[in-house]
Amino acid sequence: MPAFQPLLDTIDLEDTVLTTDALHTQHAHRAYLRTRGAHYLAVVKKNHPGLYAQVRKLPWAEIPLEHRTRDKAHHRVEIRRLKVAAVRHLDYPGARQAIQVVRWRRELSTGKLTIERVYVITSLDIYDATPAQLAAWIRGHWGIENLLHHVRDRTFREDESKVRTGHLPRTMAGLRNLAVSLFRQNGEANIAAALRHTSRDYHRPLSALGLT
């Protein structure tokens, strides 16, 4: 959180679009981006109850569907439906549109169906981007989540770690990122399987690091 502005101070943000998860859906962060000439796509979750309630209670049932995709991969079928509402009343700096994404995911092996609703707000106006562009940016953000943060959460069980004091959490996060990056560079798609394979022989981690 404290590194948000210092990090972005080093980058030219004029006419860029930044996507962030709900952790950075902060008034100060959005106001800063607007003063830098940048637009944002910010996920809204229940950790911001007032804003979440405002967005969730919009008349989504009456708003027409703007974009739809259907994909089949990883033994599942996923349908994404996107609706967009122009807003001016949200208590959030520069918010011009609210977005609802409904993801339908069916596991082909079990037939299990899961439905997830995600809400996003953006400073982009209706003339600044098409629904297809908004969908692509949101999906691109999820791609980052799936390739790194999801792996850290599920495979490394980062949230269950007992390492919580001093600089150790940041050090461990860096080591997890290093492991994930090395496996990705070596063409590994399944990080959990790669970890199991590497752990069976102490020479393998050294080889992956180029030390043997």
Side-chain angles (χ1 to χ4, degrees):
M1 292 285 288
F4 184 87
Q5 182 171 331
L7 175 64
L8 294 180
D9 279 341
T10 65
I11 304 172
D12 181 11
L13 298 179
E14 189 70 28
D15 295 327
T16 61
V17 178
L18 278 78
T19 65
T20 65
D21 59 20
L23 175 68
H24 292 290
T25 306
Q26 308 290 336
H27 281 62
H29 289 181
R30 301 310 138 186
Y32 164 77
L33 291 177
R34 298 304 294 132
T35 61
R36 294 289 310 279
H39 286 286
Y40 61 79
L41 284 165
V43 176
V44 181
K45 293 185 178 179
K46 293 180 181 179
N47 57 329
H48 299 282
L51 182 62
Y52 179 82
Q54 283 185 297
V55 176
R56 186 178 63 83
K57 290 179 180 178
L58 290 172
W60 293 111
E62 303 170 16
I63 296 172
L65 181 67
E66 295 282 1
H67 186 71
R68 180 184 184 276
T69 60
R70 183 182 187 275
D71 296 294
K72 183 178 179 181
H74 305 295
H75 307 291
R76 65 174 179 256
V77 174
E78 186 166 304
I79 297 174
R80 304 174 192 85
R81 297 161 56 90
L82 181 142
K83 294 183 176 182
V84 184
V87 294
R88 289 294 187 274
H89 66 285
L90 295 182
D91 181 23
Y92 202 75
R96 291 295 176 266
Q97 294 186 93
I99 304 164
Q100 182 197 66
V101 180
V102 181
R103 294 188 288 186
W104 302 63
R105 180 179 298 168
R106 184 180 297 278
E107 301 293 337
L108 296 178
S109 58
T110 64
K112 180 182 178 182
L113 175 66
T114 58
I115 302 174
E116 181 184 13
R117 285 178 174 79
V118 179
Y119 298 102
V120 180
I121 54 176
T122 179
S123 59
L124 292 162
D125 216 325
I126 58 174
Y127 305 108
D128 295 326
T130 66
Q133 287 175 313
L134 295 174
W137 286 327
I138 293 170
R139 189 174 180 184
H141 180 81
W142 286 337
I144 298 171
E145 292 276 358
N146 292 335
L147 288 173
L148 180 60
H149 300 293
H150 182 77
V151 173
R152 283 169 50 176
D153 290 342
R154 297 300 180 88
T155 302
F156 288 96
R157 302 289 183 182
E158 189 170 57
D159 289 344
E160 299 175 14
S161 174
K162 303 301 182 182
V163 179
R164 299 174 181 172
T165 59
H167 297 290
L168 288 177
R170 182 177 297 178
T171 301
M172 291 304 300
L175 291 173
R176 295 183 189 105
N177 289 344
L178 173 63
V180 173
S181 298
L182 284 172
F183 287 137
R184 298 284 187 209
Q185 289 176 0
N186 291 334
E188 301 287 352
N190 189 322
I191 302 301
L195 283 170
R196 290 193 295 270
H197 174 77
T198 303
S199 67
R200 295 190 185 109
D201 185 338
Y202 73 90
H203 290 100
R204 291 171 182 168
L206 298 176
S207 177
L209 291 168
L211 300 177
T212 60

